[in-house]
Amino acid sequence: MSTPSGPDIYKRKALAEIEAAKAETDLERIRIEYLGRKGPLASMLAGMTQIAVSQRAALGAAANEAKRAIEDALAAKGAHLRDVRLADIAETEAIDITFPGPPLGRGHLHVLTQVQRQIETVLESLGYKVELGPEVETEWYNFEALNIPPGHPARENWDSFYFTPDLLLRAHTSPVQIRAMQRIKEPPIYIITPGRCYRRDAPEATRLPYFSQVEGLAVDKGLTVGDMKGTLLYMIQSLYGEERKVRVRPSYFPFTEPSFEFDVSCGICAGAGCKSCRHKGWLEVGGCGMVHPQVLRNGGIDPDKWNGYAWGFGIERMAMLKHDIEDIRLFYESDLRFLEQF
Ligand code: DAH
C-alpha cells in the first residue's frame, strides 16, 4: 500500500471541508486556502527543484490531479449551494399573484369642477344649454363685438395676453355670447358658457391671471330685469341655500344697458356685516345687465324684435362664497390638504 503523497493529503482535507461547507462564502475561503498563490499545492510546485528529478513527474501529476479534483468539487458544491439559496428565496419571497393588492386611493373632482357642474345642473333645469367657445379669441369677439371699440377706455379692464394684435387669450367668457347668437341665429336663445379666462393681473388673494367664468345669455321677446334677477336668485339659492338674498347695483359695461353688479348676501353673517364680507353684508359675484342692442346686432339678431339679458360670474368667486375660502390661489396650488376637503 503506497502512502498518500503530499498533494493527496491536501486533496482529501479540502474535499472533506468542501463536503461540510454550508455557505458559498465557506467555499471561497477553502479555494483561497488550498488553491491560492500561497496555498500548499502552489508551494509544492514551486519547491519542485528541491526534490529528486525521478520524483518530479509523479509529484507534478499528483499536484495537478489534486488541484483539478478540488476545483471540480468547489464548482459542484457551489452550484448546489446556489440552488439551495435560490430555492429558499423562491419560497420565502414568493409573489402570490392572487393576493389582493393594496386598495387604490380614489380621487374626486376638483372643487372648481364641482361648483361649475352644480351651476350647469341648476341652469340646465331652467332650459339653458351649455355652449363652449375658444380660449384663444380674436380681438373682434373679445372686444369690438361687445361694443368695446379700439381706444375705448373700458379695454383697460380686460387687459389680456396677445399673440398678435388680432389674437389674444380671451379676457372674459362674453365673446361666446356673440358666437352663440351667430351659431343659433333664431331666438329664443338660453345658454350658459363656462370656461377659462386670462388677464394681465399679478396673482394675489383675490385675483389671478387665469380664472374661470360662467356667462349666461338669454335672448327672447320682452325679457325684463325681473326675469334676469329671478333666474339669478334661483341659481344662487339652489347653490347656497334658500336663506340667501341677492341684489343688483347700477354699474357700467359697454355690452349691457342697463348694467349691474350682482351681490349675494353674506352666508356667515346673513347680511349683518362681518369680517368675511368686510362689514358690507354682501359679496359681489359678477356683472349682469340687459344686452345692448348693438351687441345683438353684432350677433346677427334684430334688436327691434328681440331683447335679452346676460351675466358673467367668476366660478372661483362662487366657490369661495360657497366654501368660505379666503384666497383664490388655493384652487391652483394642487395641495391635497386643501383639495381633499371638498
Ligand atoms: N364680462 C364681464 C367681466 O368679465 C362680466 C359681465 C358683465 C358679463 C355683464 C356679462 C354682463 O354678460 O352682462 O367683467
Side-chain angles (χ1 to χ4, degrees):
M1 199 182 100
S2 63
T3 50
S5 65
D8 219 32
I9 294 168
Y10 289 116
K11 181 177 93 178
R12 286 184 202 179
K13 272 181 75 180
L15 293 184
E17 280 180 42
I18 291 167
E19 174 73 33
K22 295 256 177 315
E24 288 160 280
T25 47
D26 295 337
L27 297 181
E28 182 57 12
R29 185 187 46 71
I30 295 166
R31 191 188 65 75
I32 291 168
E33 188 181 328
Y34 290 95
L35 302 180
R37 273 192 291 122
K38 293 184 185 137
L41 295 175
S43 51
M44 252 179 228
L45 291 170
M48 213 83 115
T49 47
Q50 314 288 328
I51 61 172
V53 177
S54 60
Q55 291 174 13
R56 280 186 200 170
L59 182 66
N64 280 329
E65 199 276 319
K67 191 171 161 236
R68 213 172 307 117
I70 293 169
E71 278 170 353
D72 290 351
L74 281 172
K77 183 73 187 239
H80 173 70
L81 288 177
R82 200 161 41 248
D83 286 350
V84 170
R85 179 166 56 83
L86 292 179
D88 192 43
I89 289 173
E91 191 161 314
T92 56
E93 295 180 19
I95 296 168
D96 177 359
I97 58 168
T98 67
F99 193 79
L104 285 180
R106 271 252 183 142
H108 64 73
L109 293 176
H110 190 280
V111 55
L112 288 178
T113 309
Q114 291 178 30
V115 171
Q116 179 180 323
R117 294 211 180 160
Q118 285 160 1
I119 296 167
E120 289 171 9
T121 305
V122 170
L123 285 149
E124 277 168 349
S125 76
L126 294 180
Y128 285 77
K129 293 264 184 307
V130 174
E131 181 95 12
L132 299 177
E135 289 179 24
V136 176
E137 197 40 290
T138 65
E139 195 266 353
W140 189 81
Y141 280 105
N142 193 74
F143 289 123
E144 245 174 288
L146 293 165
N147 229 5
I148 318 170
H152 193 291
R155 285 209 179 195
E156 294 235 327
N157 297 336
W158 293 279
D159 193 8
S160 183
F161 300 95
Y162 285 79
F163 297 103
T164 68
D166 188 43
L167 217 53
L168 67 155
L169 286 172
R170 68 177 178 193
H172 48 178
T173 43
S174 300
V176 189
Q177 287 189 29
I178 307 293
R179 290 182 176 276
M181 288 188 273
Q182 289 179 334
R183 187 182 71 74
I184 300 168
K185 293 192 179 80
E186 273 301 303
I189 295 170
Y190 288 90
I191 58 122
I192 53 167
T193 169
R196 187 61 67 81
C197 307
Y198 305 85
R199 288 193 199 164
R200 255 175 32 187
D201 282 324
E204 45 179 85
T206 55
R207 63 181 90 229
L208 282 174
Y210 43 86
F211 58 97
S212 321
Q213 286 187 335
V214 58
E215 188 94 6
L217 172 71
V219 182
D220 209 329
K221 281 203 157 77
L223 293 175
T224 67
V225 171
D227 295 323
M228 177 187 79
K229 231 185 126 177
T231 303
L232 295 177
L233 175 68
Y234 177 77
M235 172 172 88
I236 292 299
Q237 291 189 338
S238 303
L239 288 173
Y240 300 129
E242 296 203 344
E243 67 288 356
R244 292 296 183 108
K245 295 193 278 291
V246 303
R247 73 173 184 189
V248 292
R249 283 179 289 124
S251 183
Y252 171 73
F253 298 102
F255 32 91
T256 42
E257 180 59 36
S259 305
F260 309 96
E261 299 294 341
F262 186 85
D263 296 340
V264 177
S265 60
C266 176
I268 294 173
C269 64
C274 67
K275 207 172 129 231
S276 176
C277 60
R278 298 208 177 83
H279 304 284
K280 290 186 194 141
W282 296 90
L283 296 150
E284 190 185 313
V285 286
C288 56
M290 302 306 288
V291 181
H292 194 289
Q294 185 57 39
V295 172
L296 290 175
R297 235 174 261 125
N298 292 341
I301 307 265
D302 181 355
D304 293 330
K305 285 204 221 148
W306 308 96
N307 79 337
Y309 56 80
W311 72 87
F313 292 175
I315 296 181
E316 289 83 357
R317 225 28 272 207
M318 295 186 73
M320 287 165 87
L321 258 175
K322 187 172 171 71
H323 297 297
D324 299 322
I325 296 162
E326 291 197 334
D327 194 322
I328 193 173
R329 290 168 291 197
L330 288 166
F331 291 119
Y332 295 97
E333 282 169 359
S334 301
D335 185 334
L336 290 179
R337 291 169 301 179
F338 170 74
L339 296 175
E340 282 174 350
Q341 295 176 69
F342 307 102

